[in-house]
Amino acid sequence: MTQPTGELFDLGYQHYDGPREGRMRARKAVFVDGFKTTLGLGRGSGAKVLPFLLFGAAMAPAVIMAIIASVTNNLVDLPGHSIYYQIVSIVLLIFAAIIAPELLCPDRRNGVISLYLVRPLSITDYVAARWLAFFVITLLLVYSGQVVLLLSLVLSAADPMEYLQDNWLDIPRILAAGFLLAAFITTLPLAVSALTDRRAFAAAFVIGLFIISGAAGGFLTSCDEHDDSGRSGQCEPITGGAGKWLGLVDVSEVPNNVNTMIFNAEDEGDRARLIAELPRVVPIGLYLILTGGLAFILWWRYQRLTV
Amino acid sequence: MPTLLEARSLTKHYGQTIALESVNFQVQDGITGLLGPNGAGKSTAIKLFLGLLKPTSGSAEVLGELPYESVGIRARLGYMPEHDCLPTAITASEFLTHMAQVSGIPPAQARTRSADILRHVGLEEELYRPIGQYSTGMKQRVKLAQSLAHDPVVVLLDEPTAGLDPGGREEMLKLIRRTGHEFGISIILSSHLMGDVESTCDRIIVLESGRVTEEGAVAQFTRETETLLIDADGNQEELITALAGRGVTAIIDGVSLAVELDSDEQYDAIRDSLVETNSRLRRMSLRRHELTDIFRNDQK
């Protein structure tokens, strides 16, 4: 039998004399927590299902396009980067509407926000860290799909280098348009989440807003008759000259209106054709005012928070 | 003894409602009770010291700094709110680790602190269960633990025994006494329960209607005066009159008569009054004052 060689002591409470990293560590911690919450990391398996399902849905169009490009050896004319953003923005909007409230609503509903506010962290730090966490995830999501699509287009081209030389401008366009899309998709649901403690209400409101404004925009810009080609450019919208302005009511299309300009692409839809008739400053101004206004609501609501 | 917290002409108004009016006091090391009825201004005072509210006028200083203006000082403060403040889906260990990091502690050290603190509050067995599955008593311990996770200089506890049964309440008070006396972390304990303050605190500050009405060591309030309780059969009013005739003031206190003793001669007057009114004495004993008397005196 071996003899005991040591003893265990209960040293009691030990004061902490290690590093204290203050406000920057606090901001990082809220950011990382927001990142993990969005993806359901560190939570039960149920919390991971929805984020990864929606992540898969957002990536699916790019993957499908890549497969088609490789199988058909680029004989099929694939949709471009602008179209990809338009397709994926619908999935992203649903993703954001459902997941983003998780970053703000439970903290207020459970009262945890009062614990954040007594730590070395301002309320603006808290909101900014949460916003940034969701923005980074959304940005990674939109860029990932575009990278897949770009690679597939390059690799399936007869001469990849020539394709890149001809289309290199797509890269800054992808970056700029993705940034604008992610900023809008992050800010809208977070601003709505700042106004209610209940996640379901926030998600329902955002999705309802997209559906109603989308339907209203589509109806107000629809044409009462088309020419033989079926193109709406030659038709008069049912709302007459106001149609091109009324097309702006579709909230979900606000970032896409700007992205169409960035890619200098032509959109075949009635609404998009009408908006293209507007001065360029109008869709850009609408995007900036709406995104900036929502960001202000988010910030303002938290400045007025009482715990 | 260093001053941890100092209120200087501290005033807070909510519109027309006065929560605190020109309050002055200092808090040093140890356990200090902030005592007062609901609506006295205790929670407002705590929120002013935490920087959650801005004073209407005056100042609430913590370690010489203003927490409303300097968020950095909050790294040395702990806070246990009265209301619910816990997430339900994550474990206590994850929650404390996160909160320690939000207080500026690096991740590796935060994990160690989290495990240590949960052991100190008696939750080591529950480390990996979601907080939503905890009992009320366990949740109160997690609330206390999160306030200690970053080793603060001073912790502000707002009604820490709220919602606890008698056993859980005593356990919580024991834990608070350990935190203050063994861990060496100063505590401000806000409560409307005299028993909690009396059994836990070294000093008290009494707030009523937004003003400080009393301040001092708890021992000072519990021994300053003594009351003689007289239980006797017979007409209490006659006995009070007979005592008054001999210069002794007695008041009805429940089923007893209470006499504030200031000399031994009063015992003779009580004896003679009992004989005169033909009252049979059942019990006569000294009662140590309790903190409740502070409020009784104010109401007189």
Side-chain angles (χ1 to χ4, degrees):
Chain A
M1 187 177 156
T2 56
Q3 294 297 312
T5 55
E7 287 181 73
L8 287 172
F9 295 98
D10 182 0
L11 296 174
Y13 182 82
Q14 298 291 300
H15 283 286
Y16 177 74
D17 53 9
R20 290 181 186 269
E21 299 173 353
R23 195 167 178 176
M24 192 47 78
R25 170 59 61 193
R27 287 169 175 158
K28 268 189 208 169
V30 177
F31 171 80
V32 171
D33 183 66
F35 199 89
K36 287 164 72 178
T37 302
T38 304
L39 299 177
L41 304 176
R43 309 289 192 276
S45 51
K48 296 178 184 69
V49 173
L50 198 57
F52 284 93
L53 208 63
L54 289 166
F55 196 90
M59 289 294 290
V63 174
I64 291 166
M65 289 179 196
I67 291 169
I68 292 170
S70 61
V71 169
T72 62
N73 210 15
N74 225 16
L75 293 172
V76 177
D77 194 13
L78 285 174
H81 298 286
S82 173
I83 302 295
Y84 173 76
Y85 272 145
Q86 287 185 26
I87 296 168
V88 85
S89 68
I90 297 161
V91 179
L92 281 173
L93 289 168
I94 297 168
F95 170 79
I98 296 172
I99 307 288
E102 184 73 27
L103 273 89
L104 296 180
C105 295
D107 282 350
R108 291 202 316 281
R109 193 166 161 78
N110 296 330
V112 184
I113 188 71
S114 62
L115 301 183
Y116 282 114
L117 299 185
V118 298
R119 283 174 157 81
L121 186 78
S122 75
I123 192 69
T124 305
D125 292 337
Y126 169 84
V127 175
R130 289 296 203 213
W131 184 92
L132 196 61
F134 198 78
F135 175 72
V136 168
I137 287 173
T138 314
L139 204 59
L140 287 174
L141 198 55
V142 297
Y143 285 164
S144 302
Q146 289 286 17
V147 167
V148 171
L149 182 61
L150 182 67
L151 284 175
S152 68
L153 289 171
V154 170
L155 295 175
S156 60
D159 185 346
M161 284 311 293
E162 191 183 339
Y163 179 88
L164 267 180
Q165 281 170 357
D166 292 344
N167 297 283
W168 69 270
L169 260 177
D170 279 351
I171 294 170
R173 284 169 174 162
I174 287 169
L175 295 175
F179 186 93
L180 295 179
L181 182 62
F184 181 79
I185 277 171
T186 301
T187 311
L188 174 62
L190 287 179
V192 173
S193 303
L195 302 172
T196 173
D197 290 353
R198 292 183 177 271
R199 282 171 287 177
F201 288 178
F205 181 85
V206 174
I207 291 172
L209 183 68
F210 294 148
I211 292 171
I212 293 168
S213 70
F219 173 74
L220 293 169
T221 55
S222 60
C223 295
D224 49 5
E225 59 180 37
H226 286 82
D227 64 5
D228 292 343
S229 69
R231 292 167 72 91
S232 58
Q234 288 74 35
C235 82
E236 185 72 14
I238 58 169
T239 46
K244 56 189 173 189
W245 294 95
L246 293 171
L248 295 171
V249 302
D250 187 349
V251 175
S252 65
E253 288 296 327
V254 169
N256 288 335
N257 295 338
V258 180
N259 288 352
T260 305
M261 282 185 219
I262 290 174
F263 283 101
N264 210 16
E266 275 195 23
D267 197 317
E268 296 294 316
D270 292 344
R271 195 196 53 77
R273 283 177 167 277
L274 287 168
I275 287 172
E277 293 174 18
L278 291 168
R280 288 194 158 207
V281 71
V282 174
I284 294 170
L286 179 68
Y287 173 89
L288 292 174
I289 289 168
L290 195 57
T291 310
L294 289 166
F296 176 78
I297 289 171
L298 175 61
W299 175 84
W300 171 83
R301 176 70 184 87
Y302 271 85
Q303 296 301 313
R304 293 176 58 84
L305 194 69
T306 51
V307 291
Chain B
M1 196 177 278
T3 298
L4 301 177
L5 273 60
E6 183 167 11
R8 288 185 188 165
S9 302
L10 185 58
T11 300
K12 180 67 187 175
H13 296 176
Y14 298 103
Q16 298 296 311
T17 308
I18 298 169
L20 287 174
E21 186 64 38
S22 201
V23 165
N24 291 286
F25 62 81
Q26 290 186 340
V27 174
Q28 278 92 22
D29 282 345
I31 307 178
T32 303
L34 205 53
L35 181 64
N38 290 331
K42 306 185 298 294
S43 293
T44 298
I46 282 186
K47 286 176 181 174
L48 286 162
F49 280 114
L50 290 165
L52 289 172
L53 294 174
K54 190 179 181 183
T56 305
S57 64
S59 65
E61 290 182 13
V62 176
L63 303 171
E65 293 191 45
L66 300 171
Y68 189 80
E69 292 175 2
S70 162
V71 294
I73 193 63
R74 298 186 204 158
R76 311 315 305 271
L77 288 174
Y79 173 47
M80 176 183 173
E82 179 184 6
H83 56 75
D84 288 341
C85 62
L86 301 176
T88 52
I90 62 172
T91 67
S93 174
E94 284 174 292
F95 179 57
L96 256 66
T97 303
H98 174 56
M99 278 300 157
Q101 289 182 61
V102 181
S103 295
I105 310 285
Q109 289 89 333
R111 275 190 289 277
T112 309
R113 287 285 308 170
S114 162
D116 282 351
I117 295 295
L118 285 171
R119 180 168 56 83
H120 284 301
V121 300
L123 287 175
E124 64 269 49
E125 301 294 326
E126 315 296 339
L127 283 176
Y128 303 110
R129 269 175 60 198
I131 296 170
Q133 297 176 9
Y134 287 10
S135 67
T136 305
M138 288 158 68
K139 284 180 181 168
Q140 287 295 94
R141 284 166 187 251
V142 178
K143 281 166 69 175
L144 178 64
Q146 65 76 28
S147 73
L148 303 173
H150 52 294
D151 191 29
V153 174
V154 59
V155 182
L156 294 99
L157 311 177
D158 198 357
E159 304 279 2
T161 57
L164 295 179
D165 59 28
R169 185 176 154 207
E170 189 42 51
E171 285 290 315
M172 176 54 70
L173 293 175
K174 201 168 135 188
L175 203 49
I176 292 168
R177 285 193 289 270
R178 273 190 70 207
T179 305
H181 297 139
E182 286 181 36
F183 300 179
I185 296 172
S186 294
I187 292 172
I188 311 295
L189 171 72
S190 157
S191 179
H192 68 282
L193 299 171
M194 313 268 178
D196 286 6
V197 174
E198 194 168 359
S199 67
T200 311
C201 300
D202 308 317
R203 290 176 54 80
I204 61 164
I205 295 163
V206 181
L207 278 174
E208 277 190 273
S209 304
R211 293 172 193 276
V212 173
T213 54
E214 304 275 354
E215 192 179 354
V218 169
Q220 174 191 328
F221 291 97
T222 55
R223 69 165 181 244
E224 197 171 42
T225 59
E226 291 182 325
T227 304
L228 189 67
L229 293 177
I230 305 163
D231 287 359
D233 292 338
N235 189 319
Q236 280 188 326
E237 295 300 328
E238 282 181 19
L239 186 55
I240 290 171
T241 308
L243 285 165
R246 289 173 173 82
V248 177
T249 305
I251 58 165
I252 296 174
D253 186 327
V255 296
S256 309
L257 289 184
V259 173
E260 294 294 331
L261 278 180
D262 47 34
S263 70
D264 287 346
E265 284 73 38
Q266 286 178 312
Y267 283 109
D268 296 336
I270 292 166
R271 178 201 60 208
D272 294 345
S273 300
L274 287 166
V275 171
E276 181 191 317
T277 57
N278 203 22
S279 301
R280 187 187 298 170
L281 182 66
R282 288 195 171 276
R283 188 172 69 92
M284 188 163 70
S285 63
L286 279 172
R287 185 187 72 187
R288 290 188 69 82
H289 265 199
E290 294 172 350
L291 288 177
T292 45
D293 297 332
I294 294 170
F295 295 101
R296 281 203 198 109
N297 292 340
D298 289 343
Q299 286 162 9
K300 272 194 279 185

